[in-house]
Amino acid sequence: MTDVSAAVAAIDTARLIELVQQVCRIPSILGEEGPLAHFLHDVMRESGFEATELQPAIGDRPNALGELSFGAGRRVVFTGHMDTKPVSHGWSVTTPFAGDLIDGKIYGHGIMDMKAALVCQLVAMEALRDSGIPLTGTLAMAAVSDHMGDQAGSIAYFDRYPADLGVLGELSGNEIFLGHRGRYYFDITVLGTSAHTCHKALAVNANMLAAYAVIELDRSKLMPPLDPDVEKLFGAETFMSPGRIYGGLPPGGPSMIPDECVIRVDCRPQPGVSIERVRAEIDRCLAEASRRDPRFRATVELADVKSGYLASPGDEVVTLMTDAVRAVRGREPVHKVANWLGDTASFGTKVPTVIFGPGGEPVYCPDEHLKMADIIEATQVYAAFGALALTAGD
C-alpha cells in the first residue's frame, strides 16, 4: 500500500461526520467565534496534538491552533476561518444550528463556508498521524477568526508562525482553486445642504444627489487591461457595486433633510488591477453624476484594501494538490479561481498556498447543507496532500 493509500485508509469516517455535526451546532457568526475556537482547541488537545493554543487575535475571538510534528523538515499549514455570515431566513428542512444528517446530507448554517473544511483538515491530520507512514516535518492547523472582518486572525497567525506550504480550505467544490479576486472599498461622501423638511426649498438633499452616483456606479463595467492568463481565469470585468448607502439621521431623530450621504463602493479586482485604475473609474462615474445635477459634490476615500491572490499551476503546492486529487478521484483535476475574497489576501505573499474545500455556490442560503460524500472526499484529499507534502524531497 502506498503512503497516500495508507493515509486515506486511516481516516475515521464516523468521527469525521460526528465532528462536522458538532461544529454545525455551535454558532460562530462574525464577532462570536469564541465558542467554536474553544471547541476546536479542545478537540485537538484531547486528540494529542502538540502546541495547542488559543492564540489572541481580536477581542475574545481567538484562533484555535495545533500541530503534529514528524521530526525535522518543512512546515505545512492547513488553515480556514471559523466566522460565518448571519443566518438567512427561510429554513424549512431543519433549523440552522441543528447539524442534522438527512438523506446523506448534513445541514448547518456555515457548513460550506467553512465549518466542514476545518473538521476535514483536522481529521485528515489525525489520519496521517495514525497511519504510521514515514513523514518528515510539521503539519499545523490554524482555525482563524475575523475572515469576514479585517482578516485579523490570519494576520496574527502568519505574522507569528512561518510556513513553507499552505492549504486554505475555502469552498471550491472540491476542485483546485489557484486564487481569488481582491477587494477595494471606497467611501464616497456626497454633500448637500440640510434644512428642516418643512423648509425643503432651502435644502439640497444629499440622498437625492447620491442616487445619481449610485446609478452611474451600478452601470459601470470596468474592463482594465489584463494579463491574458488572468483574463482567461477571471474574466474581463472588474466587478464594482454600490454595496451600502447611508444618509440622514437615525430612526427617532428630528426631521431633517440630510446634507451627507455615504456610499460604500465594493470593488472586486482581478490580480494586477491597481487601486489607481479603479479610482479613475469611480471618478468617471462621479463626473457623470455631476453632469446630471451641477449641485453634485463628493469626496472619495479609500477605506480598505485586500489584495487578490494567484498561484501558478507549476508551483509545488499546486502540483502536490493536483497529485492528491488525482490519487483520490482517479482522474485529472482542473484548475479554477474564485471571485470571492480569501484569507490568502493577507498571507499569500508569505506562504505558497492552494485553495481546496467542500461546498460551492450558492452559499448562506436557507437549508445550507453538504453531502457526506463530499465531506469524506475532501478529507481524503487533505490526507493525500499531507502524505505527499511531508515526504516530498526525501
Side-chain angles (χ1 to χ4, degrees), residues 5 8 37 62 80 93 104 106 153 164-165 170 174 225 236 245 257 268 308 317 324 337 363 366 384:
S5 298
V8 170
V93 174
I106 300 178
D164 298 295
L165 299 174
E170 280 284 6
N174 280 2
I245 305 167
I257 294 173
R268 300 303 171 116
V317 70
V337 293
V363 68

Side-chain angles (χ1 to χ4, degrees), residues 307-326:
S307 300
Y309 175 75
L310 186 61
S312 167
D315 290 348
E316 183 190 17
V317 70
V318 177
T319 59
L320 286 170
M321 184 58 79
T322 301
D323 291 342
V325 174
R326 186 191 302 114

Side-chain angles (χ1 to χ4, degrees), residues 23 83 117 119 211 214 241 249 299 328 338:
V23 297
D83 50 309
V119 174
V214 168
S241 175
L249 295 173
T299 62
V328 169

Side-chain angles (χ1 to χ4, degrees), residues 24 86-100 102 106-111 363-370:
C24 287
V87 177
S88 299
H89 295 289
W91 281 71
S92 59
V93 174
T94 184
T95 56
F97 300 108
D100 287 338
I102 303 171
I106 300 178
Y107 287 75
H109 173 71
I111 188 172
V363 68
Y364 292 113
C365 54
D367 299 322
E368 183 180 350
H369 63 271
L370 274 176

Side-chain angles (χ1 to χ4, degrees), residues 107-361:
Y107 287 75
H109 173 71
I111 188 172
M112 290 199 288
D113 190 23
M114 47 171 289
K115 290 183 173 183
L118 294 171
V119 174
C120 294
Q121 292 173 337
L122 193 158
V123 172
M125 291 173 67
E126 292 178 332
L128 283 162
R129 176 195 62 195
D130 298 342
S131 69
I133 60 178
L135 300 173
T136 60
T138 298
L139 188 55
M141 173 81 184
V144 300
S145 295
D146 197 49
H147 159 71
M148 295 172 194
D150 293 323
Q151 301 187 349
S154 281
I155 293 169
Y157 180 78
F158 287 98
D159 277 353
R160 178 175 169 188
Y161 293 100
D164 298 295
L165 299 174
V167 177
L168 176 63
E170 280 284 6
L171 64 165
S172 69
N174 280 2
E175 299 293 351
I176 297 169
F177 279 14
L178 301 177
H180 54 75
R181 291 180 182 242
R183 184 187 73 197
Y184 302 156
Y185 282 158
F186 289 88
D187 283 345
I188 300 171
T189 303
V190 181
L191 302 174
T193 302
S194 64
H196 192 283
T197 303
C198 66
H199 300 143
K200 181 179 178 181
L202 302 177
V204 177
N205 192 325
N207 287 351
M208 183 275 295
L209 294 177
Y212 294 131
V214 168
I215 290 169
E216 296 300 332
L217 290 163
D218 189 63
R219 285 177 175 171
S220 170
K221 288 191 178 297
L222 176 58
M223 304 284 192
L226 297 170
D227 180 281
D229 290 336
V230 172
E231 183 171 340
K232 182 178 179 180
L233 286 167
F234 289 94
E237 183 180 355
T238 293
F239 303 132
M240 192 165 70
S241 175
R244 186 176 68 197
I245 305 167
Y246 48 101
L249 295 173
S255 300
M256 178 181 281
I257 294 173
D259 61 357
E260 179 179 288
C261 181
V262 180
I263 306 165
R264 167 63 59 89
V265 180
D266 183 357
C267 176
R268 300 303 171 116
Q270 304 94 320
V273 178
S274 70
I275 295 169
E276 291 75 18
R277 184 68 187 83
V278 175
R279 172 62 193 269
E281 175 65 7
I282 289 175
D283 288 343
R284 185 196 67 77
C285 292
L286 298 185
E288 290 296 323
S290 181
R291 276 189 274 275
R292 285 172 171 261
D293 191 322
R295 298 175 298 173
F296 183 90
R297 294 180 298 140
T299 62
V300 182
E301 179 182 356
L302 179 63
D304 185 56
V305 175
K306 293 289 186 294
S307 300
Y309 175 75
L310 186 61
S312 167
D315 290 348
E316 183 190 17
V317 70
V318 177
T319 59
L320 286 170
M321 184 58 79
T322 301
D323 291 342
V325 174
R326 186 191 302 114
V328 169
R329 196 174 291 164
R331 63 179 185 273
E332 195 67 23
V334 296
H335 294 161
K336 300 182 178 182
V337 293
N339 286 325
W340 37 252
L341 182 76
D343 275 331
T344 20
S346 294
F347 70 83
T349 57
K350 299 179 180 180
V351 182
T353 301
V354 68
I355 301 168
F356 182 92
E361 303 297 338

